[in-house]
Amino acid sequence: MSTRTETPTARTAIDGVKGARVLIVESHYYAEIADELIAGAEREIARNGAIAERVTVPGAFEIPGAIALAAGRYDGFVALGCVIRGETSHYDYVCGESARGLMDLAIQKKLAIGYGIVTVETMDQAKARAFTDRGDKGGDAAHACLAMVALGRRWRNI
């Protein structure tokens, strides 16, 4: 398995999201990873003139439920967490069901959701993806959320 270091991609500013309210829903199960994901997301949201609020849930499995409860109160959502494979099939259920739950919400409730749940085999892989000076997946997820907020605003105004 590769443990290469990922490099964050350059992101352009997103027009039409200034003042957008974004809820970051984060699982703090792996605190070091969560802190890095949050730092990247908050920086990207602020860079684009949007406003971030944050709520913590016990694990990645609970992220879709929290977003469903908050639907209609925010312009967009950023789902952040980390799932590291263990010795049981628990990993597969948590990864698959949290991703499916978020996609169902995005499509059925027309929510702007940025997916930032890091799913990996090892802690080293998690760090390579989450740390802001490496993969910055929190920033990527926030950027995706804001891009979808911009699309939603654009199409509602036509």
Side-chain angles (χ1 to χ4, degrees):
M1 293 187 203
S2 172
T3 57
R4 71 180 174 85
T5 300
E6 297 186 14
T7 304
T9 56
R11 297 182 203 101
T12 58
I14 299 171
D15 290 332
V17 296
K18 187 174 174 93
R21 292 183 58 229
V22 176
L23 180 65
I24 299 171
V25 180
E26 55 106 0
S27 163
H28 217 81
Y29 192 84
Y30 295 103
E32 181 180 23
I33 301 303
D35 290 343
E36 288 287 328
L37 291 168
I38 293 161
E42 288 181 335
R43 182 172 45 251
E44 184 66 14
I45 291 165
R47 186 176 75 87
N48 282 281
I51 302 156
E53 294 182 40
R54 206 167 97 200
V55 66
T56 301
V57 296
F61 197 79
E62 290 77 26
I63 293 172
I67 290 174
L69 291 170
R73 293 179 172 91
Y74 295 90
D75 298 300
F77 302 88
V78 180
L80 300 179
C82 178
V83 184
I84 300 175
R85 185 179 298 278
E87 296 178 359
T88 68
S89 59
H90 182 256
Y91 170 91
D92 298 310
Y93 293 108
V94 172
C95 294
E97 292 303 312
S98 61
R100 182 196 55 80
L102 292 170
M103 183 56 73
D104 286 352
L105 285 169
I107 294 169
Q108 293 169 7
K109 294 192 178 275
K110 298 175 180 66
L111 300 179
I113 301 174
Y115 184 85
I117 300 175
V118 176
T119 56
V120 295
E121 303 288 326
T122 68
M123 181 58 78
D124 285 342
Q125 290 174 346
K127 290 176 180 179
R129 287 159 180 77
F131 280 26
T132 57
D133 61 346
R134 294 163 81 182
D136 194 18
K137 295 306 174 194
D140 287 347
H143 189 82
C145 168
L146 293 171
M148 296 305 289
V149 167
L151 279 177
R153 286 180 168 184
R154 175 179 156 199
W155 289 331
R156 277 191 282 282
N157 291 330
I158 293 177

Coordinates of all heavy atoms in Angstrom, one line a residue, residues 31-77:
A31 N -9.1 12.7 17.0 CA -9.0 14.2 17.2 C -8.0 14.9 16.3 O -8.2 16.0 15.8 CB -8.7 14.4 18.7
E32 N -6.8 14.3 16.2 CA -5.7 14.9 15.4 C -6.2 15.1 14.0 O -5.9 16.1 13.4 CB -4.5 14.1 15.5 CG -3.3 14.7 14.8 CD -2.0 13.8 14.9 OE1 -2.1 12.6 15.1 OE2 -1.0 14.3 14.7
I33 N -6.8 14.1 13.4 CA -7.3 14.2 12.0 C -8.4 15.2 11.9 O -8.5 16.0 11.0 CB -7.7 12.8 11.5 CG1 -6.6 11.8 11.6 CG2 -8.3 12.9 10.1 CD1 -5.3 12.2 10.9
A34 N -9.4 15.1 12.9 CA -10.5 16.0 12.8 C -10.1 17.5 12.9 O -10.6 18.3 12.2 CB -11.5 15.7 14.0
D35 N -9.1 17.8 13.8 CA -8.6 19.1 13.9 C -8.1 19.7 12.6 O -8.3 20.8 12.2 CB -7.6 19.2 15.0 CG -8.2 19.1 16.4 OD1 -9.4 19.2 16.6 OD2 -7.4 18.8 17.3
E36 N -7.3 18.8 11.9 CA -6.8 19.2 10.6 C -7.9 19.4 9.5 O -7.8 20.4 8.7 CB -5.7 18.2 10.1 CG -4.5 18.2 10.9 CD -3.6 19.5 10.6 OE1 -3.6 20.0 9.4 OE2 -2.9 19.9 11.5
L37 N -8.8 18.5 9.5 CA -9.9 18.6 8.5 C -10.7 19.9 8.8 O -11.0 20.6 7.8 CB -10.9 17.4 8.6 CG -10.3 16.1 8.1 CD1 -11.2 14.9 8.6 CD2 -10.1 16.1 6.6
I38 N -11.0 20.2 10.0 CA -11.7 21.4 10.4 C -10.9 22.7 10.0 O -11.5 23.6 9.5 CB -12.0 21.4 11.9 CG1 -13.0 20.3 12.2 CG2 -12.6 22.8 12.4 CD1 -13.0 19.9 13.7
A39 N -9.6 22.7 10.3 CA -8.8 23.8 10.0 C -8.9 24.1 8.5 O -9.0 25.3 8.0 CB -7.4 23.6 10.4
G40 N -8.8 23.1 7.7 CA -8.8 23.3 6.2 C -10.2 23.8 5.8 O -10.3 24.7 4.9
A41 N -11.2 23.2 6.3 CA -12.6 23.6 5.9 C -12.9 25.0 6.3 O -13.4 25.8 5.5 CB -13.6 22.7 6.5
E42 N -12.6 25.4 7.6 CA -12.8 26.7 8.0 C -12.1 27.8 7.2 O -12.6 28.9 6.9 CB -12.5 26.8 9.5 CG -13.5 26.1 10.4 CD -13.3 26.2 11.9 OE1 -12.1 26.4 12.3 OE2 -14.3 26.1 12.6
R43 N -10.8 27.5 6.9 CA -10.0 28.4 6.1 C -10.7 28.6 4.7 O -10.8 29.8 4.3 CB -8.6 27.9 6.0 CG -7.7 28.9 5.2 CD -6.2 28.6 5.2 NE -5.9 27.2 4.9 CZ -5.4 26.3 5.8 NH1 -5.2 26.7 7.1 NH2 -5.2 25.1 5.5
E44 N -11.1 27.6 4.1 CA -11.7 27.7 2.7 C -13.0 28.4 2.8 O -13.3 29.3 1.9 CB -11.9 26.3 2.1 CG -12.4 26.3 0.7 CD -11.5 26.9 -0.3 OE1 -10.3 27.1 0.0 OE2 -11.9 27.2 -1.4
I45 N -13.8 28.2 3.8 CA -15.1 28.9 3.9 C -14.9 30.4 4.2 O -15.5 31.2 3.5 CB -15.9 28.2 5.1 CG1 -16.4 26.8 4.7 CG2 -17.1 29.1 5.5 CD1 -16.9 26.0 5.8
A46 N -14.0 30.7 5.1 CA -13.7 32.1 5.3 C -13.1 32.8 4.1 O -13.4 34.0 3.8 CB -12.7 32.2 6.5
R47 N -12.2 32.1 3.4 CA -11.6 32.7 2.2 C -12.6 33.1 1.1 O -12.4 34.0 0.4 CB -10.6 31.6 1.6 CG -9.7 32.1 0.4 CD -8.7 31.1 0.0 NE -9.4 30.0 -0.8 CZ -9.6 30.0 -2.1 NH1 -9.2 31.1 -2.8 NH2 -10.1 29.0 -2.7
N48 N -13.7 32.4 1.1 CA -14.8 32.7 0.2 C -15.9 33.6 0.7 O -16.9 33.8 0.1 CB -15.4 31.4 -0.4 CG -14.5 30.7 -1.4 OD1 -14.5 31.2 -2.6 ND2 -13.7 29.8 -1.0
G49 N -15.7 34.1 1.9 CA -16.6 35.1 2.5 C -17.9 34.5 3.0 O -18.9 35.1 3.3
A50 N -17.8 33.2 3.3 CA -19.0 32.5 3.9 C -18.8 32.4 5.4 O -17.7 32.7 5.9 CB -19.2 31.1 3.2
I51 N -19.8 31.9 6.1 CA -19.8 31.9 7.5 C -19.9 30.4 8.0 O -20.8 29.7 7.5 CB -21.0 32.7 8.1 CG1 -20.9 34.1 7.6 CG2 -21.0 32.6 9.6 CD1 -22.2 34.9 7.6
A52 N -19.0 30.0 8.8 CA -19.0 28.6 9.3 C -19.5 28.5 10.7 O -19.2 29.3 11.5 CB -17.6 28.0 9.2
E53 N -20.3 27.5 10.9 CA -20.7 27.0 12.2 C -20.3 25.6 12.3 O -20.1 24.9 11.3 CB -22.2 27.2 12.5 CG -22.6 28.7 12.5 CD -24.1 28.9 12.8 OE1 -24.6 28.1 13.6 OE2 -24.7 29.7 12.1
R54 N -20.2 25.1 13.5 CA -19.7 23.7 13.7 C -20.5 22.9 14.7 O -20.9 23.5 15.8 CB -18.3 23.8 14.1 CG -17.5 22.6 13.7 CD -16.0 22.9 13.9 NE -15.5 22.5 15.2 CZ -14.5 22.9 15.8 NH1 -13.7 23.8 15.2 NH2 -14.1 22.4 16.9
V55 N -20.7 21.7 14.5 CA -21.3 20.8 15.4 C -20.5 19.5 15.4 O -20.0 19.1 14.3 CB -22.8 20.5 15.1 CG1 -23.1 19.8 13.8 CG2 -23.5 19.8 16.3
T56 N -20.4 18.8 16.5 CA -19.7 17.6 16.6 C -20.6 16.4 16.9 O -21.5 16.6 17.7 CB -18.6 17.7 17.8 OG1 -17.7 18.7 17.5 CG2 -17.8 16.4 17.9
V57 N -20.4 15.3 16.2 CA -21.2 14.1 16.4 C -20.3 13.0 16.8 O -19.0 13.1 16.6 CB -22.0 13.7 15.2 CG1 -23.0 14.8 14.8 CG2 -21.1 13.5 14.0
P58 N -20.8 11.9 17.4 CA -19.9 10.8 18.0 C -19.0 10.1 16.9 O -17.9 9.8 17.2 CB -20.9 9.8 18.6 CG -22.1 10.6 18.9 CD -22.2 11.7 17.8
G59 N -19.6 9.9 15.7 CA -18.8 9.2 14.7 C -19.3 9.5 13.3 O -20.3 10.2 13.1
A60 N -18.7 9.0 12.3 CA -19.0 9.2 10.9 C -20.4 8.7 10.6 O -21.1 9.3 9.7 CB -18.0 8.6 10.0
F61 N -20.9 7.7 11.2 CA -22.2 7.1 11.0 C -23.3 8.1 11.3 O -24.4 8.1 10.7 CB -22.4 5.8 11.8 CG -23.5 5.0 11.3 CD1 -23.4 4.2 10.3 CD2 -24.7 5.0 12.0 CE1 -24.4 3.3 9.8 CE2 -25.8 4.2 11.6 CZ -25.6 3.4 10.5
E62 N -23.0 9.0 12.3 CA -24.0 10.0 12.7 C -24.1 11.3 11.9 O -25.0 12.1 12.0 CB -23.8 10.3 14.2 CG -24.2 9.2 15.1 CD -23.1 8.1 15.2 OE1 -21.9 8.4 14.9 OE2 -23.5 7.0 15.5
I63 N -23.1 11.5 11.0 CA -23.0 12.7 10.2 C -24.3 12.9 9.4 O -24.9 14.0 9.4 CB -21.7 12.8 9.4 CG1 -20.5 12.9 10.4 CG2 -21.8 13.9 8.4 CD1 -19.2 12.8 9.7
P64 N -24.7 12.0 8.6 CA -25.9 12.2 7.8 C -27.2 12.6 8.6 O -27.9 13.4 8.2 CB -26.1 10.9 7.0 CG -24.8 10.2 7.0 CD -24.1 10.6 8.3
G65 N -27.3 11.9 9.8 CA -28.5 12.2 10.6 C -28.4 13.6 11.1 O -29.5 14.3 11.2
A66 N -27.3 14.1 11.5 CA -27.1 15.5 12.0 C -27.5 16.5 10.9 O -28.1 17.5 11.1 CB -25.7 15.8 12.5
I67 N -27.0 16.2 9.7 CA -27.3 17.1 8.5 C -28.8 17.1 8.2 O -29.4 18.1 7.9 CB -26.4 16.7 7.3 CG1 -25.0 17.1 7.6 CG2 -27.0 17.4 6.0 CD1 -24.0 16.6 6.5
A68 N -29.4 15.9 8.3 CA -30.9 15.8 8.1 C -31.6 16.7 9.1 O -32.6 17.4 8.7 CB -31.3 14.4 8.1
L69 N -31.2 16.6 10.3 CA -31.8 17.4 11.4 C -31.7 19.0 11.1 O -32.6 19.7 11.5 CB -31.3 17.1 12.8 CG -31.6 15.7 13.3 CD1 -30.8 15.4 14.5 CD2 -33.1 15.6 13.6
A70 N -30.6 19.3 10.5 CA -30.3 20.8 10.3 C -30.7 21.3 8.9 O -30.6 22.4 8.6 CB -28.8 21.0 10.5
A71 N -31.2 20.4 8.1 CA -31.7 20.7 6.7 C -32.6 21.9 6.8 O -33.5 22.0 7.6 CB -32.3 19.6 6.0
G72 N -32.4 22.9 5.9 CA -33.3 24.1 5.8 C -32.8 25.2 6.6 O -33.3 26.3 6.5
R73 N -31.8 25.0 7.5 CA -31.3 26.0 8.4 C -30.0 26.6 7.9 O -29.6 27.7 8.4 CB -31.1 25.5 9.8 CG -32.4 25.1 10.5 CD -32.1 24.5 11.9 NE -33.3 24.3 12.6 CZ -34.0 23.2 12.7 NH1 -33.6 22.2 11.9 NH2 -35.1 23.1 13.4
Y74 N -29.4 26.0 6.9 CA -28.1 26.4 6.4 C -28.1 26.3 4.9 O -28.9 25.6 4.3 CB -26.9 25.5 6.9 CG -26.8 25.6 8.4 CD1 -27.5 24.8 9.3 CD2 -25.9 26.6 9.0 CE1 -27.4 24.9 10.7 CE2 -25.8 26.7 10.4 CZ -26.6 25.9 11.2 OH -26.4 26.0 12.5
D75 N -27.2 27.1 4.3 CA -27.0 27.1 2.8 C -26.3 25.8 2.3 O -26.5 25.4 1.2 CB -26.3 28.3 2.3 CG -27.1 29.6 2.7 OD1 -28.2 29.7 2.2 OD2 -26.5 30.4 3.4
G76 N -25.4 25.3 3.2 CA -24.6 24.1 2.8 C -24.0 23.4 4.0 O -24.1 24.0 5.1
F77 N -23.5 22.3 3.7 CA -23.0 21.4 4.8 C -21.6 20.8 4.4 O -21.4 20.4 3.2 CB -24.0 20.3 5.1 CG -25.3 20.8 5.5 CD1 -26.3 21.0 4.5 CD2 -25.6 21.0 6.8 CE1 -27.5 21.5 4.9 CE2 -26.9 21.5 7.2 CZ -27.8 21.7 6.2

